Amino acid sequence: MVTGSSGAGTKFFGPATQTARLMLYGLLAIVLMAMDQRGHYVASVRSQVAYLAEPVYHVMEWPVRAMRNVFGQMQSRRSLRQENTALKEQLLSQQGALQRLATLAEENHRLRALIEGAEGQAFEYQFAELVRVDLDPFSHKVMVDRGSSDGVEAGQAVIDGAGVMGQVEDVLLHFSTIRLISDPNHALPVQINRTGLRTVAFGSGVTGVLKLPSVPRQADIREGDLVVTSGLGDRFPGGYPVATVTAIDRQEGQTFVLVEATPLAALDRGREVLLIDSPAPKVDEQPLPDQLEAGDGEKASGDEQGGQEAEEPESAEVDSLEGEP
Amino acid sequence: MIARRDRPGTFYLTLASAIALTLVYLPPALDVFRPYWVALILIYWCLESQALVNLGKAFIIGLLLDLLGGSLLGLHALSLVILVYLVTRFRARLRFFPPWQQALSVFALLLNDRIILLWIISLRGDPLPSFGFWLPPIVGTLLWPWLFLLLDRVRGAMRRRTSS
C-alpha cells in the first residue's frame, strides 16, 4: 500500500481517494485510541512493542547523564564539603528521630500481633532515579531507571521522600514507566489521618490537585488534614502520606462535599524515588477462626507466616518479639 | 533530474532529530514551549518533496510517537494524518506563499491540531488544559521560517553529495 501511493501516485488518484484514505486512517486511529483507553488488547501489545523503544530511551538519556557528570566534576571541593556537613547533620537528626521510631515500631508490632492485625510489616525499598526523557505531557507518566532486570514488577507502589507518587505500569528491561496519582483514571484508597475516615483519592489531570469526591457532608474533615494511604486494595501499603487537604466545598443540597488535596510528592520535579517491595499478599495473614482461641494458635500462625516469607527478615523478628514476654 | 531527487535518508534523518527533540529532557519551565517538532518536519517535507510523505507514513510515524511518548495509542497518528492530508490538499497554494504567509498557514495547521487534541482530551474526561496548552503552535510558527531555511540547507547539502 505504501509503495502504491508513493511517488507521484497521489496526484493521479485525485482528492477523492485521498479523502477516503484519510477517513480510513482516522477511523483506525480512533479505534486504537478507544481500545487503548478501555484497556483491551492494545495494552499488552504495547508493553511488548515497548521493548523496541528501550534503546531509544538509552540514547536520549545519554547526553543528560553526560552533562550531569560534567557538572558533578566541576562542583568545587568547598561546596561538596559544605554539602557533606549539612547532610551529616541531617542524618544525625533523622537518626535521632528514627531511634524513637524504632521503639514505637516494635511496640506497634507487638500490639498488632496481639490483635492479629495485618498491618505494620516492614517493606523493602528499591532506589530508582527518574529518567530524563520527557513523555507526553498528557500521559501522566514518568520513567525510572529500574526495570525487570532489577526485579521491578508492574503494580509496585512508588514513593518519594515526601509522599506517594504512583504505581509501576509498564516494565521494560532497564526502565519502567510509572503512572502518577494525578492521572484522572487513577484511584488511590486513602484515609484522613486525623479521623481515620476512609475514602478514595482520584487524580484530577492537574499535577497539583487530587480529588476526594466521596466524602459525606457530615464528615469531619478540615483544611490542612493529612491524607494517608489506607492499605485497602492491596496495591499500596497503608500509612504513607499522600496529600494535604487544601479546599473543601460544602454545597447546599449535595450528599458529598468536594474535597481537593495537594499531593506531597514532587510529581513533576522530583529526581529520586523509592519502589516499595510489598511482602506477600495480606490475605495469607488473616488468622483462621480456630487460631484465635488460644495463644498457641497465635504463635502457630506467626511461624507459618515466617515460613511463607523466608526472604523477609522482619517476620522472624516479630516472632522473637512475641517470644520475649 | 533524477540525480537531483531527494534521498529518503535525509527525510529519515530530520525525522529522527525531530523525535529526539520531542523526547529530550527540558526543565519543566521550558517544557511548555516545546513545539510540535514532528509536525513541523512533516509539513516541510510534504511541501517540498511530496513523494516522501503520504498518509500511511504519517500514520506509522504517529504510532511510533505514541509508543515512545507514552500517549494514548493513535493520538499522534490521528493528528499527523489530518495534518498531512491538509497540507497535501493545499500544497499548490502553500508552496508559493511568501514566508510570513506560509508561517501563518502553519499556525493555522498547528492550531487545528491542538483543537483536535483538545477534543480528544475532553472525550477522555480530562480537565481542560491551562493557557500553556496554546503555546506550542505559537512557538512553532515563530520557528517556522528559520526551520524552513535550515532544512533547505540540509537538503541542498545532501543533494549535492548524492549528485557528485
Side-chain angles (χ1 to χ4, degrees):
Chain A
M1 198 158 78
V2 175
T3 45
S5 58
S6 69
T10 41
K11 230 175 253 171
F12 299 119
F13 283 127
T17 333
Q18 196 73 348
T19 313
R21 297 181 63 212
L22 170 77
M23 295 296 192
L24 180 74
Y25 284 122
L27 200 67
L28 200 58
I30 289 170
V31 169
L32 271 177
M33 277 191 276
M35 279 166 76
D36 197 10
Q37 174 80 355
R38 297 262 166 249
H40 297 313
Y41 304 111
V42 177
S44 59
V45 173
R46 190 184 182 126
S47 56
Q48 294 301 315
V49 181
Y51 280 104
L52 297 177
E54 193 157 345
V56 180
Y57 297 134
H58 274 293
V59 172
M60 290 314 303
E61 216 217 354
W62 184 78
V64 184
R65 222 164 250 264
M67 212 135 83
R68 204 192 289 165
N69 277 346
V70 169
F71 279 117
Q73 300 276 344
M74 287 192 328
Q75 226 175 3
S76 76
R77 217 182 130 85
R78 214 177 117 203
S79 71
L80 278 179
R81 220 154 61 278
Q82 277 174 356
E83 197 183 333
N84 200 357
T85 38
L87 284 175
K88 263 184 195 153
E89 275 171 26
Q90 201 186 346
L91 184 69
L92 198 68
S93 68
Q94 289 193 344
Q95 263 175 347
L98 261 181
Q99 280 172 13
R100 212 173 113 66
L101 204 70
T103 52
L104 282 177
E106 274 175 26
E107 188 182 316
N108 198 6
H109 267 305
R110 212 162 24 218
L111 292 173
R112 291 267 184 206
L114 281 180
I115 56 167
E116 299 266 357
E119 284 177 54
Q121 320 114 325
F123 298 103
E124 297 208 347
Y125 300 97
Q126 190 175 19
F127 178 80
E129 255 183 280
L130 287 195
V131 173
R132 290 316 198 181
V133 171
D134 280 342
L135 298 181
D136 189 71
F138 295 98
S139 63
H140 297 286
K141 286 181 197 167
V142 291
M143 198 177 273
V144 296
D145 62 349
R146 294 280 188 279
S148 56
S149 63
D150 307 287
V152 177
E153 283 169 23
Q156 270 187 295
V158 181
I159 59 171
D160 75 352
V164 174
M165 275 189 89
Q167 54 178 301
V168 176
E169 187 163 270
D170 292 327
V171 184
L172 305 181
L173 214 55
H174 299 287
F175 296 110
S176 40
T177 49
I178 289 166
R179 177 146 322 248
L180 297 173
I181 51 173
S182 61
D183 188 290
N185 293 321
H186 193 277
L188 179 66
V190 293
Q191 63 185 16
I192 309 297
N193 198 32
R194 187 170 54 84
T195 57
L197 173 77
R198 290 204 167 114
T199 177
V200 179
F202 289 90
S204 67
V206 182
T207 326
V209 182
L210 292 182
K211 288 200 167 122
L212 281 61
S214 55
V215 176
R217 244 181 89 79
Q218 303 81 6
D220 176 18
I221 182 168
R222 290 183 215 144
E223 280 182 29
D225 275 352
L226 182 68
V227 181
V228 300
T229 51
S230 68
L232 294 179
D234 277 350
R235 272 279 161 94
F236 290 88
Y240 284 98
V242 178
T244 46
V245 175
T246 43
I248 301 166
D249 187 8
R250 289 179 207 273
Q251 284 178 336
E252 283 300 321
Q254 297 286 328
T255 333
F256 297 104
V257 281
L258 296 171
V259 179
E260 284 189 356
T262 309
L264 293 165
L267 293 183
D268 55 347
R269 48 194 196 281
R271 211 169 99 177
E272 291 94 5
V273 299
L274 292 173
L275 309 175
I276 303 180
D277 271 334
S278 349
K282 288 173 181 165
V283 192
D284 294 349
E285 291 164 38
Q286 289 298 324
L288 295 171
D290 55 7
Q291 286 173 340
L292 274 172
E293 291 170 15
D296 269 17
E298 179 192 318
K299 249 202 185 141
S301 87
D303 286 336
E304 199 180 285
Q305 184 186 325
Q308 278 169 355
E309 312 162 16
E311 69 279 0
E312 277 291 325
E314 199 57 32
S315 52
E317 270 182 49
V318 175
D319 282 354
S320 65
L321 274 171
E322 278 174 14
E324 258 175 28
Chain B
M1 188 66 198
I2 289 181
R4 289 195 62 79
R5 256 196 141 161
D6 289 308
R7 279 199 314 177
T10 322
F11 168 65
Y12 288 114
L13 191 77
T14 50
L15 182 69
S17 345
I19 292 177
L21 283 171
T22 312
L23 288 174
V24 78
Y25 171 74
L26 287 179
L30 289 179
D31 195 25
V32 274
F33 294 103
R34 189 196 303 266
Y36 193 176
W37 289 109
V38 176
L40 290 174
I41 293 287
L42 277 186
I43 294 173
Y44 174 83
W45 285 106
C46 208
L47 287 179
E48 292 301 305
S49 188
Q50 206 189 3
L52 289 171
V53 187
N54 56 47
L55 290 183
K57 264 189 205 169
F59 186 77
I60 290 167
I61 293 165
L63 284 187
L64 191 72
L65 211 55
D66 287 326
L67 273 177
L68 289 173
S71 47
L72 204 59
L73 200 70
L75 187 91
H76 286 99
L78 181 68
S79 106
L80 288 180
V81 164
I82 293 175
L83 186 93
V84 167
Y85 173 79
L86 288 175
V87 177
T88 321
R89 199 74 194 272
F90 298 106
R91 180 167 179 262
R93 246 172 287 175
L94 287 173
R95 258 168 81 84
F96 298 103
F97 275 159
W100 66 269
Q101 218 168 334
Q102 204 175 49
L104 273 187
S105 32
V106 166
F107 180 66
L109 285 168
L110 293 175
L111 202 65
N112 177 53
D113 182 74
R114 285 269 121 170
I115 291 168
I116 295 167
L117 184 57
L118 195 67
W119 172 65
I120 295 169
I121 286 174
S122 55
L123 275 188
R124 278 189 79 185
D126 291 6
L128 293 184
S130 58
F131 173 71
F133 181 76
W134 302 103
L135 283 174
I138 299 172
V139 177
T141 311
L142 295 177
L143 274 177
W144 174 254
W146 316 110
L147 189 74
F148 191 89
L149 289 178
L150 177 75
L151 286 172
D152 257 357
R153 279 277 175 86
V154 171
R155 199 162 64 110
M158 294 296 260
R159 267 181 177 175
R160 269 194 298 283
R161 201 194 286 173
T162 33
S163 56
S164 63

